[in-house]
Amino acid sequence: MIIFMINKLIRKIEKNKAPIVIGLDPMLSYIPEQVKEKAFREKGENLLGAAEAIWQFNKAIIDATYDLIPAVKPQIAMYEQFGIEGLIAFKKTVEYCKEKDLVVIGDIKRGDIGSTSEAYATGHLGKVTIGGKSFYGFDEDFVTVNPYLGSDGIVPFINVCKEEKKGLFILVKTSNPSSGEFQDQLVGERPLYELVGEKVASWGEMHLGDSYSYIGAVVGATYPEMGKALRKIMPKNYILVPGYGAQGGKAEDLAPYFNKDGLGAIVSSSRGIIAAYKQAQYEKFGPTAYADASRQAVIDMREDIMGALTRK
Amino acid sequence: MIIFMINKLIRKIEKNKAPIVIGLDPMLSYIPEQVKEKAFREKGENLLGAAEAIWQFNKAIIDATYDLIPAVKPQIAMYEQFGIEGLIAFKKTVEYCKEKDLVVIGDIKRGDIGSTSEAYATGHLGKVTIGGKSFYGFDEDFVTVNPYLGSDGIVPFINVCKEEKKGLFILVKTSNPSSGEFQDQLVGERPLYELVGEKVASWGEMHLGDSYSYIGAVVGATYPEMGKALRKIMPKNYILVPGYGAQGGKAEDLAPYFNKDGLGAIVSSSRGIIAAYKQAQYEKFGPTAYADASRQAVIDMREDIMGALTRK
């Protein structure tokens, strides 16, 4: 029997004692020279070679960390910038992570009017029907979506999730510095992001897995006070928390994003993990052992976060 | 000398007396059987065959209409639902339209935090540098973007536009029924979409082509009163107006979206043009002459809109 991905995600978080997700957002500048040189030699110093370098870089990091983590979050923009070749690397990455039994959160931040959202949902979570047969496009387990267009942009995603037993993380309060420009605007006495949070909570209540909803939210680690308020508003929604590490979010700030059951949130780190070998702390690994540096960074991140949760 | 795409767009609108853009949003159900059968026979009844059908369908419509119109707006979701193969059809469509000297508005509605928006902007409007050489990913002329993440999600797009002399249409008020859920929320005494509109106006003033800014806005045809208010708030921003025709927007409602110079807006129609042969009005063309039906629908749309503007 196929179980809801949210249940699988929670089981894996509990088993690994790791409410963390690695953001697979490779920039060419993160990739060690020897990986790029090999890829360029084999495929050419062009889009194909760059995509090969990204894929080889990802593969080594996944191989070195998959037993420690429940999930990965590839950021599609980092692949899309290399056009078709980049998106082929994205697809290969998604497939490989699924082979390793990782839950894959496609960080795609799509969102459009009804029929168009339906097409995005089909392409990333569902299947398209051609001549009576079904075909998956990118086939992630979860995707992130943008709420600016309202319910009729979100519901097509929810419908596909229900059908496929997959899930969403809807942007509520993002981690970037100017997220407040529109998200924090007061509507009556409350900020817009709380209104969006309430909507996410109501969608969540209607779409439950075993203990949590398969409709989750994105709330940046860089705004812990807002995280606390949103945790209350959305008790049954899993919260995907970007912004830990390189963007400035600290482990102590993360406790309010979790529920008393120790669940309810999953913290994402990208650069801090995949480019760990470039940090002073992991310099000793050097660029050739970059994947080992990533493994150590995962162990340290897990300890940092689990420590902060225990002290809560 | 390369001119700003907004100047090219305006020149073409004036030359063709057609402030209209065809939305190339092909659904398999729009494509006549003979086109699908041929594509499936040649490429298989699978994602590749579906993508081939879409491409052949688009190509015939472009060939039949390119001399009448200034621009096309392919909706990437409709391609993305067929995975990599669909996106290859998107890229071929973009390239072919550019060969025909059409301005291409990629309806991608992307938007993310700074570095990620930069990657999207690079992939769709700019070029990526690999080993000292530059490569374009999808290379549209304009793209649509989502403002929910605020300035630092938009500015990377603007920077690439400035460099490449391209442009944006930022979502302000969308055409869908539930667009009001968040966009219409009152901030103080004014709806959120007006705040977004003001922001778009201020970005626009700083980034001008000859007579209009290369930073435009999306305002749905289905909300003419709001279109009128937003026209005043954003005098120098071109407004992309979806929702005409199949979504319910009428030509008489469109006058307020235009300035007194007869410019300032471009009206989009998708289904009404590309699936014209399925409408009672164009039934006489039949499915084999579907591209001729599209041509007639463009002529009628132009007349409908220019008539309403003249009566204004």
Side-chain angles (χ1 to χ4, degrees):
Chain A
M1 198 193 74
I2 301 168
I3 62 162
F4 265 106
M5 275 298 156
I6 185 68
N7 299 339
K8 177 173 175 174
L9 179 65
I10 293 170
R11 279 186 210 169
K12 285 186 73 89
I13 288 171
E14 289 182 312
K15 180 171 163 264
N16 290 329
K17 296 187 179 50
I20 64 180
V21 51
I22 300 185
L24 293 173
D25 311 359
M27 310 258 274
L28 276 188
S29 61
Y30 297 172
I31 303 179
E33 287 306 321
Q34 79 277 7
V35 177
K36 281 189 277 198
E37 276 165 20
K38 183 163 183 288
F40 291 161
R41 212 162 46 232
E42 288 173 4
K43 308 276 178 178
E45 204 162 353
N46 49 32
L47 293 170
L48 196 62
E52 174 69 11
I54 286 173
W55 155 242
Q56 294 296 344
F57 178 69
N58 282 350
K59 186 174 175 299
I61 291 172
I62 298 159
D63 286 342
T65 58
Y66 77 93
D67 60 318
L68 300 173
I69 55 171
V72 291
K73 180 175 75 63
Q75 166 53 262
I76 200 168
M78 296 303 170
Y79 304 82
E80 210 165 311
Q81 70 179 324
F82 298 102
I84 298 293
E85 287 79 2
L87 286 161
I88 292 171
F90 176 81
K91 192 175 154 76
K92 274 161 90 170
T93 300
V94 170
E95 281 170 359
Y96 190 68
C97 291
K98 289 173 71 164
E99 275 172 36
K100 294 285 180 189
D101 203 38
L102 291 165
V103 173
V104 178
I105 303 168
D107 198 352
I108 64 170
K109 295 191 179 66
R110 302 300 195 250
D112 208 295
I113 66 166
S115 57
T116 312
S117 273
E118 198 178 318
Y120 279 129
T122 298
H124 287 277
L125 298 170
K127 43 193 182 301
V128 77
T129 305
I130 302 167
K133 272 187 283 184
S134 293
F135 298 88
Y136 283 94
F138 291 100
D139 200 17
E140 299 105 298
D141 299 318
F142 286 82
V143 293
T144 57
V145 296
N146 185 307
Y148 189 66
L149 287 91
S151 296
D152 52 35
I154 299 288
V155 169
F157 280 98
I158 295 180
N159 291 342
V160 172
C161 287
K162 196 170 176 174
E163 166 94 17
E164 300 282 338
K165 305 207 171 209
K166 294 184 170 180
L168 300 181
F169 291 99
I170 300 169
L171 304 188
V172 174
K173 171 70 189 171
T174 56
S175 60
N176 56 315
S178 69
S179 67
E181 262 171 35
F182 303 124
Q183 297 165 24
D184 294 4
Q185 290 292 342
L186 290 181
V187 176
E189 291 178 349
R190 291 152 55 239
L192 178 66
Y193 64 78
E194 288 196 6
L195 249 73
V196 178
E198 278 172 18
K199 204 78 191 165
V200 171
S202 81
W203 286 318
E205 279 162 23
M206 291 184 286
H207 300 96
L208 291 168
D210 286 344
S211 55
Y212 279 88
S213 170
Y214 51 91
I215 310 303
V218 174
V219 183
T222 41
Y223 301 100
E225 280 307 310
M226 300 176 187
K228 196 172 173 181
L230 286 164
R231 176 73 287 168
K232 280 191 192 131
I233 291 171
M234 308 183 293
K236 287 287 181 196
N237 303 85
Y238 239 78
I239 301 179
L240 172 64
V241 190
Y244 168 86
Q247 283 184 59
K250 291 184 173 43
E252 308 86 76
D253 297 334
L254 293 170
Y257 294 78
F258 288 80
N259 278 321
K260 283 186 185 149
D261 59 6
L263 296 169
I266 182 160
V267 181
S268 169
S269 177
S270 305
R271 213 183 323 164
I273 304 293
I274 67 172
Y277 77 98
K278 292 198 153 203
Q279 298 162 39
Q281 199 183 342
Y282 303 108
E283 216 177 342
K284 63 172 187 278
F285 287 96
T288 50
Y290 69 96
D292 297 328
S294 294
R295 184 177 175 86
Q296 190 56 49
V298 167
I299 292 168
D300 294 346
M301 177 183 175
R302 181 175 65 178
E303 198 180 298
D304 187 33
I305 289 170
M306 291 309 282
L309 292 183
T310 315
R311 287 190 300 275
K312 185 185 175 181
Chain B
M1 198 193 73
I2 302 167
I3 62 162
F4 265 107
M5 274 298 156
I6 186 67
N7 299 340
K8 177 173 176 176
L9 180 64
I10 293 170
R11 279 186 210 170
K12 286 186 71 91
I13 289 171
E14 289 182 312
K15 179 168 163 266
N16 291 328
K17 296 189 178 49
I20 62 180
V21 52
I22 300 185
L24 293 172
D25 311 357
M27 310 258 275
L28 276 188
S29 62
Y30 296 171
I31 303 179
E33 288 307 320
Q34 79 277 6
V35 177
K36 282 189 276 199
E37 276 165 19
K38 184 165 183 288
F40 292 162
R41 211 163 46 233
E42 288 172 4
K43 308 277 177 176
E45 204 161 354
N46 50 31
L47 293 170
L48 196 62
E52 174 69 12
I54 286 174
W55 156 241
Q56 293 296 344
F57 178 69
N58 282 350
K59 187 174 175 299
I61 291 172
I62 297 159
D63 286 341
T65 58
Y66 76 93
D67 60 318
L68 299 173
I69 55 171
V72 291
K73 180 174 76 62
Q75 166 53 261
I76 201 168
M78 296 304 169
Y79 304 81
E80 210 165 312
Q81 70 179 323
F82 298 103
I84 298 294
E85 287 79 0
L87 287 161
I88 292 172
F90 176 81
K91 192 175 156 74
K92 275 162 89 170
T93 300
V94 170
E95 281 170 0
Y96 191 69
C97 291
K98 289 173 72 165
E99 277 172 34
K100 294 285 180 188
D101 202 37
L102 291 165
V103 173
V104 178
I105 303 168
D107 198 352
I108 65 171
K109 296 192 179 66
R110 304 299 196 251
D112 209 296
I113 67 166
S115 57
T116 312
S117 273
E118 199 179 317
Y120 278 131
T122 298
H124 287 277
L125 298 170
K127 41 194 183 303
V128 77
T129 305
I130 302 166
K133 271 186 284 184
S134 294
F135 298 88
Y136 283 94
F138 291 100
D139 200 17
E140 298 104 299
D141 298 319
F142 285 82
V143 293
T144 57
V145 296
N146 185 308
Y148 190 66
L149 288 91
S151 295
D152 53 34
I154 299 289
V155 170
F157 280 98
I158 296 179
N159 291 341
V160 172
C161 286
K162 196 170 176 175
E163 166 94 17
E164 300 282 338
K165 306 207 169 209
K166 293 184 170 181
L168 301 180
F169 292 99
I170 300 169
L171 303 188
V172 174
K173 170 69 189 171
T174 57
S175 60
N176 56 316
S178 69
S179 67
E181 261 172 35
F182 304 124
Q183 297 166 24
D184 294 4
Q185 290 292 343
L186 290 181
V187 176
E189 291 177 349
R190 291 154 54 239
L192 178 65
Y193 64 78
E194 288 196 6
L195 249 74
V196 178
E198 278 172 16
K199 204 79 192 163
V200 171
S202 81
W203 286 318
E205 280 162 22
M206 291 184 287
H207 300 96
L208 291 168
D210 286 343
S211 54
Y212 280 88
S213 170
Y214 51 92
I215 310 303
V218 174
V219 183
T222 41
Y223 301 100
E225 279 308 308
M226 301 176 186
K228 197 173 171 180
L230 287 164
R231 175 74 285 169
K232 280 193 191 127
I233 291 171
M234 309 183 292
K236 287 289 181 194
N237 303 85
Y238 239 78
I239 301 181
L240 172 64
V241 190
Y244 169 86
Q247 284 185 56
K250 290 182 176 43
E252 308 85 77
D253 297 334
L254 293 171
Y257 294 78
F258 288 80
N259 278 321
K260 284 187 184 147
D261 58 7
L263 296 169
I266 183 160
V267 181
S268 170
S269 177
S270 305
R271 212 183 325 163
I273 304 292
I274 67 172
Y277 78 99
K278 292 197 153 204
Q279 298 162 39
Q281 199 183 342
Y282 303 107
E283 216 177 341
K284 63 170 187 280
F285 288 95
T288 50
Y290 68 96
D292 297 328
S294 294
R295 183 177 176 86
Q296 190 56 50
V298 168
I299 292 168
D300 294 346
M301 178 183 174
R302 182 175 65 177
E303 198 180 298
D304 187 33
I305 288 169
M306 292 309 281
L309 292 183
T310 314
R311 287 191 299 276
K312 184 183 174 182

mmCIF file of all heavy atoms in Angstrom, chain A residues 68-89:
data_model
loop_
_atom_site.group_PDB
_atom_site.id
_atom_site.type_symbol
_atom_site.label_atom_id
_atom_site.label_comp_id
_atom_site.label_asym_id
_atom_site.label_seq_id
_atom_site.Cartn_x
_atom_site.Cartn_y
_atom_site.Cartn_z
ATOM 1 N N LEU A 68 21.713 9.545 6.660
ATOM 2 C CA LEU A 68 21.544 10.408 7.839
ATOM 3 C C LEU A 68 20.292 11.265 7.787
ATOM 4 O O LEU A 68 19.872 11.802 8.804
ATOM 5 C CB LEU A 68 22.739 11.374 7.959
ATOM 6 C CG LEU A 68 24.140 10.793 8.117
ATOM 7 C CD1 LEU A 68 25.173 11.919 8.042
ATOM 8 C CD2 LEU A 68 24.259 10.049 9.447
ATOM 9 N N ILE A 69 19.762 11.435 6.604
ATOM 10 C CA ILE A 69 18.727 12.471 6.421
ATOM 11 C C ILE A 69 17.412 11.867 5.903
ATOM 12 O O ILE A 69 17.413 10.815 5.263
ATOM 13 C CB ILE A 69 19.202 13.557 5.412
ATOM 14 C CG1 ILE A 69 19.624 12.898 4.070
ATOM 15 C CG2 ILE A 69 20.329 14.376 5.994
ATOM 16 C CD1 ILE A 69 19.910 13.879 2.951
ATOM 17 N N PRO A 70 16.309 12.554 6.200
ATOM 18 C CA PRO A 70 15.030 12.063 5.686
ATOM 19 C C PRO A 70 14.715 12.555 4.271
ATOM 20 O O PRO A 70 13.994 11.895 3.540
ATOM 21 C CB PRO A 70 14.009 12.635 6.669
ATOM 22 C CG PRO A 70 14.670 13.856 7.225
ATOM 23 C CD PRO A 70 16.146 13.614 7.205
ATOM 24 N N ALA A 71 15.263 13.702 3.910
ATOM 25 C CA ALA A 71 14.756 14.364 2.703
ATOM 26 C C ALA A 71 15.794 15.295 2.083
ATOM 27 O O ALA A 71 16.756 15.701 2.754
ATOM 28 C CB ALA A 71 13.510 15.180 3.052
ATOM 29 N N VAL A 72 15.575 15.590 0.818
ATOM 30 C CA VAL A 72 16.368 16.605 0.119
ATOM 31 C C VAL A 72 15.406 17.618 -0.516
ATOM 32 O O VAL A 72 14.243 17.314 -0.753
ATOM 33 C CB VAL A 72 17.235 15.998 -1.001
ATOM 34 C CG1 VAL A 72 18.352 15.153 -0.426
ATOM 35 C CG2 VAL A 72 16.389 15.200 -1.982
ATOM 36 N N LYS A 73 15.938 18.794 -0.766
ATOM 37 C CA LYS A 73 15.115 19.849 -1.381
ATOM 38 C C LYS A 73 15.898 20.492 -2.527
ATOM 39 O O LYS A 73 16.582 21.485 -2.331
ATOM 40 C CB LYS A 73 14.726 20.891 -0.326
ATOM 41 C CG LYS A 73 13.864 22.027 -0.852
ATOM 42 C CD LYS A 73 13.408 22.965 0.241
ATOM 43 C CE LYS A 73 14.473 23.897 0.749
ATOM 44 N NZ LYS A 73 14.994 24.854 -0.266
ATOM 45 N N PRO A 74 15.835 19.897 -3.725
ATOM 46 C CA PRO A 74 16.499 20.555 -4.845
ATOM 47 C C PRO A 74 15.754 21.825 -5.249
ATOM 48 O O PRO A 74 14.525 21.825 -5.336
ATOM 49 C CB PRO A 74 16.453 19.508 -5.966
ATOM 50 C CG PRO A 74 15.360 18.571 -5.588
ATOM 51 C CD PRO A 74 15.213 18.618 -4.095
ATOM 52 N N GLN A 75 16.495 22.906 -5.426
ATOM 53 C CA GLN A 75 15.934 24.203 -5.832
ATOM 54 C C GLN A 75 16.007 24.261 -7.356
ATOM 55 O O GLN A 75 17.086 24.380 -7.935
ATOM 56 C CB GLN A 75 16.763 25.311 -5.196
ATOM 57 C CG GLN A 75 16.556 26.701 -5.745
ATOM 58 C CD GLN A 75 15.122 27.148 -5.762
ATOM 59 O OE1 GLN A 75 14.440 27.064 -6.805
ATOM 60 N NE2 GLN A 75 14.624 27.582 -4.618
ATOM 61 N N ILE A 76 14.851 24.175 -8.008
ATOM 62 C CA ILE A 76 14.838 24.009 -9.466
ATOM 63 C C ILE A 76 15.473 25.188 -10.202
ATOM 64 O O ILE A 76 16.045 25.014 -11.286
ATOM 65 C CB ILE A 76 13.409 23.707 -9.979
ATOM 66 C CG1 ILE A 76 13.455 23.047 -11.372
ATOM 67 C CG2 ILE A 76 12.558 24.951 -9.976
ATOM 68 C CD1 ILE A 76 12.128 22.463 -11.830
ATOM 69 N N ALA A 77 15.438 26.385 -9.633
ATOM 70 C CA ALA A 77 16.017 27.559 -10.304
ATOM 71 C C ALA A 77 17.491 27.351 -10.631
ATOM 72 O O ALA A 77 17.983 27.801 -11.667
ATOM 73 C CB ALA A 77 15.870 28.804 -9.435
ATOM 74 N N MET A 78 18.199 26.663 -9.720
ATOM 75 C CA MET A 78 19.632 26.484 -9.903
ATOM 76 C C MET A 78 19.933 25.561 -11.091
ATOM 77 O O MET A 78 21.046 25.554 -11.613
ATOM 78 C CB MET A 78 20.260 25.930 -8.619
ATOM 79 C CG MET A 78 20.149 26.882 -7.445
ATOM 80 S SD MET A 78 20.920 28.500 -7.829
ATOM 81 C CE MET A 78 20.380 29.474 -6.437
ATOM 82 N N TYR A 79 18.935 24.779 -11.482
ATOM 83 C CA TYR A 79 19.065 23.883 -12.631
ATOM 84 C C TYR A 79 18.521 24.580 -13.883
ATOM 85 O O TYR A 79 19.105 24.493 -14.955
ATOM 86 C CB TYR A 79 18.311 22.579 -12.356
ATOM 87 C CG TYR A 79 18.766 21.876 -11.084
ATOM 88 C CD1 TYR A 79 18.291 22.265 -9.831
ATOM 89 C CD2 TYR A 79 19.703 20.848 -11.123
ATOM 90 C CE1 TYR A 79 18.724 21.656 -8.669
ATOM 91 C CE2 TYR A 79 20.143 20.221 -9.969
ATOM 92 C CZ TYR A 79 19.645 20.634 -8.733
ATOM 93 O OH TYR A 79 20.080 20.031 -7.584
ATOM 94 N N GLU A 80 17.403 25.270 -13.681
ATOM 95 C CA GLU A 80 16.728 25.960 -14.787
ATOM 96 C C GLU A 80 17.641 27.007 -15.428
ATOM 97 O O GLU A 80 17.501 27.316 -16.613
ATOM 98 C CB GLU A 80 15.458 26.619 -14.224
ATOM 99 C CG GLU A 80 14.317 26.738 -15.207
ATOM 100 C CD GLU A 80 12.980 27.051 -14.518
ATOM 101 O OE1 GLU A 80 12.614 26.372 -13.526
ATOM 102 O OE2 GLU A 80 12.287 27.967 -14.967
ATOM 103 N N GLN A 81 18.574 27.546 -14.654
ATOM 104 C CA GLN A 81 19.471 28.555 -15.235
ATOM 105 C C GLN A 81 20.366 27.956 -16.321
ATOM 106 O O GLN A 81 20.908 28.695 -17.142
ATOM 107 C CB GLN A 81 20.287 29.259 -14.163
ATOM 108 C CG GLN A 81 21.338 28.419 -13.503
ATOM 109 C CD GLN A 81 22.133 29.206 -12.468
ATOM 110 O OE1 GLN A 81 22.399 30.388 -12.639
ATOM 111 N NE2 GLN A 81 22.493 28.558 -11.381
ATOM 112 N N PHE A 82 20.503 26.624 -16.332
ATOM 113 C CA PHE A 82 21.274 25.967 -17.384
ATOM 114 C C PHE A 82 20.356 25.381 -18.462
ATOM 115 O O PHE A 82 20.742 24.487 -19.206
ATOM 116 C CB PHE A 82 22.179 24.884 -16.794
ATOM 117 C CG PHE A 82 23.198 25.424 -15.836
ATOM 118 C CD1 PHE A 82 23.022 25.317 -14.461
ATOM 119 C CD2 PHE A 82 24.326 26.087 -16.305
ATOM 120 C CE1 PHE A 82 23.948 25.835 -13.570
ATOM 121 C CE2 PHE A 82 25.259 26.614 -15.430
ATOM 122 C CZ PHE A 82 25.075 26.490 -14.050
ATOM 123 N N GLY A 83 19.129 25.898 -18.534
ATOM 124 C CA GLY A 83 18.205 25.508 -19.598
ATOM 125 C C GLY A 83 17.839 24.031 -19.523
ATOM 126 O O GLY A 83 17.794 23.434 -18.445
ATOM 127 N N ILE A 84 17.546 23.456 -20.669
ATOM 128 C CA ILE A 84 17.109 22.057 -20.745
ATOM 129 C C ILE A 84 18.129 21.123 -20.079
ATOM 130 O O ILE A 84 17.761 20.249 -19.302
ATOM 131 C CB ILE A 84 16.923 21.643 -22.230
ATOM 132 C CG1 ILE A 84 15.844 22.487 -22.915
ATOM 133 C CG2 ILE A 84 16.614 20.138 -22.335
ATOM 134 C CD1 ILE A 84 14.441 22.283 -22.415
ATOM 135 N N GLU A 85 19.407 21.343 -20.372
ATOM 136 C CA GLU A 85 20.435 20.464 -19.819
ATOM 137 C C GLU A 85 20.404 20.506 -18.286
ATOM 138 O O GLU A 85 20.545 19.463 -17.629
ATOM 139 C CB GLU A 85 21.825 20.867 -20.334
ATOM 140 C CG GLU A 85 22.074 20.517 -21.790
ATOM 141 C CD GLU A 85 21.440 21.495 -22.788
ATOM 142 O OE1 GLU A 85 20.817 22.492 -22.346
ATOM 143 O OE2 GLU A 85 21.559 21.259 -23.992
ATOM 144 N N GLY A 86 20.208 21.681 -17.733
ATOM 145 C CA GLY A 86 20.108 21.810 -16.280
ATOM 146 C C GLY A 86 18.906 21.061 -15.729
ATOM 147 O O GLY A 86 18.994 20.398 -14.686
ATOM 148 N N LEU A 87 17.797 21.149 -16.443
ATOM 149 C CA LEU A 87 16.577 20.486 -15.959
ATOM 150 C C LEU A 87 16.694 18.962 -16.062
ATOM 151 O O LEU A 87 16.088 18.242 -15.264
ATOM 152 C CB LEU A 87 15.357 21.015 -16.707
ATOM 153 C CG LEU A 87 14.988 22.440 -16.245
ATOM 154 C CD1 LEU A 87 14.101 23.138 -17.263
ATOM 155 C CD2 LEU A 87 14.309 22.419 -14.874
ATOM 156 N N ILE A 88 17.471 18.496 -17.018
ATOM 157 C CA ILE A 88 17.735 17.049 -17.069
ATOM 158 C C ILE A 88 18.537 16.632 -15.819
ATOM 159 O O ILE A 88 18.264 15.593 -15.216
ATOM 160 C CB ILE A 88 18.465 16.664 -18.379
ATOM 161 C CG1 ILE A 88 17.512 16.864 -19.577
ATOM 162 C CG2 ILE A 88 18.974 15.212 -18.332
ATOM 163 C CD1 ILE A 88 18.156 16.723 -20.948
ATOM 164 N N ALA A 89 19.480 17.472 -15.400
ATOM 165 C CA ALA A 89 20.233 17.196 -14.167
ATOM 166 C C ALA A 89 19.302 17.224 -12.950
ATOM 167 O O ALA A 89 19.462 16.428 -12.008
ATOM 168 C CB ALA A 89 21.371 18.193 -14.004
#
